[in-house]
Amino acid sequence: VSVTVFHLLNANGSLTVDDYSLEEIGASPKFTEGMVSFSFDDGFENTYTNGIPILDKAGIKSTQAIITSGFNDPEYMTKDQVKILAANGHEISAHTRTHPDLVTLTQAQAMDEISGSKADLAALGITATSFMYPFDSYSDSVVSLVKNAGFLGARDSDIGYNTPLSNPYLIESQNVNNDVSIDTIKGWIDKAISEKLWVVLVFHRQVKLPNTPENLYCNDPAILQQIVDYVKLKNVKTVTVGQGVSMLGK
């Protein structure tokens, strides 16, 4: 409703100006339609057993961000399970080797976590083109390491939506934690549809546990089913994170 323009003068005196104008330079570019991504962090085994069947039944392809050291932990997916997901069209994304806060590491350590996780997946015959920052922790140098490792894009956990002008290495998202209502999640999807935005829904463990702070990153699979049902009801386009990244700048 108002605007103030400041002129900084480098000496005492006055400045007279006229013929100012204020014009709209155009609305932000939009996608041709709204889009939703289902992104799962860490590679938990219960995502494979409880979440993937729901997605597969609906024909939705997810993005699975894998901590590659988890192959040696029964709480996480096995190498064979990850290979099956890739073969069935789910995107396999890198999420470092051990899930550290990359900003706290030396450059050599961070590169080992970033490039090393890509190499670990390549050893399974999987080419990871997208990366997910652990703990939503990144810096300019970390982003540069991700680029130099050959990734085409990366998702953080900054809250928001994405447009064709979004930075492919700072993809924003919405966290589906156990303290978020299904109505709120439906609202995110509705906004993406109505404003032709790309929303990335981020999940973690898919297991029903008491709704307590320590279980913040756990979801009852029934919630995932409700989200999938709503996406199908609204006939909204679903894409993997990698597919969404490929649409940026266009």
Side-chain angles (χ1 to χ4, degrees):
V1 296
S2 66
V3 61
T4 302
V5 178
F6 291 92
H7 283 284
L8 180 62
L9 306 183
N10 59 12
N12 290 336
S14 63
L15 175 68
T16 301
V17 295
D18 60 11
D19 290 333
Y20 270 119
S21 65
L22 183 67
E23 60 181 310
E24 184 177 356
I25 61 173
S28 299
K30 304 290 185 181
F31 295 104
T32 56
E33 60 184 316
M35 303 185 297
V36 177
S37 291
F38 288 76
S39 183
F40 294 77
D41 276 6
D42 304 332
F44 290 109
E45 197 271 343
N46 51 47
T47 295
Y48 185 87
T49 56
N50 299 334
I52 293 299
I54 294 172
L55 298 170
D56 282 347
K57 185 176 180 179
I60 294 174
K61 303 305 179 184
S62 65
T63 296
Q64 300 291 327
I66 303 298
I67 302 171
T68 55
S69 65
F71 294 144
N72 302 314
D73 188 327
E75 191 175 10
Y76 295 85
M77 297 182 200
T78 66
K79 292 180 180 179
D80 286 342
Q81 287 173 327
V82 171
K83 289 166 69 175
I84 289 171
L85 290 179
N88 289 339
H90 294 277
E91 179 189 14
I92 305 301
S93 173
H95 198 36
T96 71
R97 280 178 157 165
T98 64
H99 203 271
D101 182 343
L102 294 170
V103 174
T104 67
L105 304 183
T106 66
Q107 184 162 335
Q109 291 171 330
M111 180 56 82
D112 178 70
E113 288 284 347
I114 295 167
S115 296
S117 61
K118 186 177 179 69
D120 292 343
L121 293 174
L124 302 181
I126 297 169
T127 300
T129 61
S130 64
F131 183 83
M132 312 300 174
Y133 303 105
F135 303 111
D136 187 31
S137 182
Y138 58 88
S139 62
D140 288 345
S141 61
V142 168
V143 172
S144 293
L145 290 175
V146 171
K147 291 180 182 179
N148 294 337
F151 292 102
L152 303 180
R155 196 215 73 222
D156 55 37
S157 295
D158 292 344
I159 302 302
Y161 301 80
N162 304 286
T163 74
L165 294 182
S166 293
N167 185 333
Y169 293 94
L170 295 176
I171 299 301
E172 297 186 346
S173 57
Q174 299 285 355
N175 293 308
V176 183
N177 300 329
N178 69 9
D179 60 349
V180 179
S181 72
I182 185 63
D183 287 339
T184 295
I185 300 166
K186 289 179 178 179
W188 296 337
I189 296 169
D190 289 341
K191 181 179 175 70
I193 295 171
S194 65
E195 300 185 25
K196 297 182 179 180
L197 302 170
W198 172 30
V199 62
V200 179
L201 304 179
V202 179
F203 304 80
H204 290 80
R205 299 173 189 266
Q206 292 299 297
V207 58
K208 184 177 181 179
L209 293 173
N211 191 1
T212 57
E214 57 267 28
N215 295 330
L216 179 65
Y217 297 107
C218 299
N219 292 114
D220 183 344
I223 297 297
L224 176 61
Q225 183 67 69
Q226 290 182 57
I227 299 170
V228 166
D229 290 344
Y230 192 71
V231 164
K232 300 300 286 187
L233 175 67
K234 291 291 187 173
N235 196 31
V236 58
K237 181 176 182 177
T238 59
V239 296
T240 65
V241 171
Q243 289 170 334
V245 165
S246 72
M247 300 178 192
L248 301 182
K250 298 179 181 179

